[in-house]
Amino acid sequence: MSAARYAVFGQPIAHSQSPHIHAAFARAQGIALDYRAIEASPQEFAAALEAFAAEGGVGANVTLPHKEAAFALCATTTSRAHRAGAVNTLLRKGDGWHGDNTDGIGLVRDLTGRHGLDLRGRRVLLLGAGGAARGIAPALLDAGILELVVANRSPARADALVDAMAEPGRAISAYWEDLREQGDFELVINATSAGRDKDAAFQLPLSLVNSLTTAVDLNYGGAAIAFLAWARAAGCRNSFDGLGMLVEQAAESFRLWHGVRPDTDAVYAELRERASTLVTAD
Ligand code: ATR
């Protein structure tokens, strides 16, 4: 019997680590897997996904720039995907796609499991309100944080994200220029794509940081350098890139497809060793 077919869709997709990560999980679990990377432009995405299903594709990951488009194409979604308005995991059910979003639970698992943080009762600052920010906001609220403050360069997008969370008082937006007035946070998350610019630098108020603050960049490799440099200079207690989240979101997708959650430590250690060469892509 030939292996079940899976894929990751994105543009660009050449740097995606997902085929490598899923192949490693499958090997460790003794599962035969055919998982490939498929490049598709926004115009091509819907047709490419249909062609994949017609050829026997049963599951897919979706990355930039297709997460919102994938959500719109789903026949059914999980409630966390619905709140995010974005999908990173697809499962074929009958004639349609069922969509989930494992980015947020991936981040929470990395922070609580790998790094031993307790998120309950914490004030969290989320920088950015694009697809990446929307993917993680529901899971942070579900993890029991006290308050989620969302700041974005264009304020209307922060307001829209906060409205979608439907937790008035617990999820609130703030103007980027007014961050100095927001007090301090135990968790500061960079979900912007600003660090992908070669000359990026973060100038955020030092007043955001207290002696417990953890800073997390959802990016990894070169795109995480600027924010993590700010975090260290500001005196954050811990600073992490998005590599752990990358591996954990993949493990949650793997569980949805195969019914078993793979151990993530070996793949994480291997990616960590070559982290400086990786390009944020998944
Ligand atoms: P992603 O899926 O990675 O979130 P996106 O939806 O294009 O990509 O969102 C990019 C995010 O990075 C947005 O929050 C964007 O802010 P705007 O909504 O104001 O565009 C943010 N961003 C990009 N470049 C930035 C910069 N130089 N400074 C601050 N925020 C930036």
Side-chain angles (χ1 to χ4, degrees):
M1 209 180 84
S2 62
R5 296 192 61 179
Y6 295 83
V8 57
F9 289 82
Q11 187 183 50
I13 202 65
H15 296 293
S16 172
Q17 295 301 316
S18 290
H20 175 72
I21 294 170
H22 281 274
F25 288 163
R27 254 195 320 277
Q29 296 293 330
I31 292 171
L33 187 74
D34 175 349
Y35 185 116
R36 38 188 89 165
I38 298 177
E39 175 115 12
S41 70
Q43 294 74 25
E44 295 164 339
F45 174 60
L49 195 59
E50 272 319 293
F52 174 66
E55 289 159 13
V58 292
N61 284 126
V62 180
T63 187
L64 293 177
H66 303 314
K67 291 183 184 182
E68 281 98 345
F71 173 76
L73 288 171
C74 284
T76 56
T77 63
T78 57
S79 66
R80 62 190 181 193
H82 184 78
R83 284 171 91 194
V87 149
N88 79 334
T89 308
L90 293 166
L91 173 67
R92 195 73 183 165
K93 277 196 177 167
D95 286 342
W97 291 107
H98 175 68
D100 196 359
N101 193 318
T102 65
D103 286 334
I105 189 69
L107 174 67
V108 168
R109 281 200 163 254
D110 182 51
L111 294 178
T112 58
R114 178 165 293 112
H115 298 300
L117 296 187
D118 186 352
L119 296 178
R120 289 168 301 178
R122 305 301 191 200
R123 291 193 78 221
V124 179
L125 174 62
L126 178 57
L127 300 169
R134 287 187 79 115
I136 63 162
L140 291 167
L141 291 162
D142 290 348
I145 62 168
L146 179 69
E147 188 178 45
L148 182 69
V149 177
V150 183
N152 194 49
R153 182 175 59 178
S154 34
R157 252 178 135 185
D159 291 341
L161 191 161
V162 162
D163 287 348
M165 293 307 112
E167 298 228 21
R170 203 154 81 93
I172 59 174
S173 57
Y175 288 112
W176 195 288
E177 305 77 51
D178 294 345
L179 282 176
R180 208 172 297 280
E181 291 149 35
Q182 291 298 325
D184 53 344
F185 294 85
E186 283 90 26
L187 188 58
V188 180
I189 301 174
N190 177 36
T192 77
S193 54
R196 293 178 204 168
D197 292 343
K198 204 163 42 59
D199 305 320
F202 278 81
Q203 277 157 352
L204 297 162
L206 297 181
S207 55
L208 300 175
V209 173
N210 65 34
S211 61
L212 288 176
T213 303
T214 293
V216 184
D217 198 320
L218 302 190
N219 299 286
Y220 48 86
I225 288 174
F227 177 72
L228 296 180
W230 170 81
R232 278 189 286 274
C236 287
R237 183 170 183 175
N238 303 300
S239 52
F240 307 126
D241 67 10
L243 211 50
M245 170 182 160
L246 170 70
V247 178
E248 298 303 322
Q249 62 79 27
E252 293 296 327
S253 297
F254 193 92
R255 169 159 59 187
L256 183 75
W257 294 329
H258 307 293
V260 53
R261 193 175 201 283
D263 183 59
T264 53
D265 288 348
V267 178
Y268 175 75
E270 185 248 318
L271 289 177
R272 173 60 60 207
E273 230 173 64
R274 51 190 181 89
S276 63
T277 65
L278 299 178
V279 179
T280 300
D282 290 88

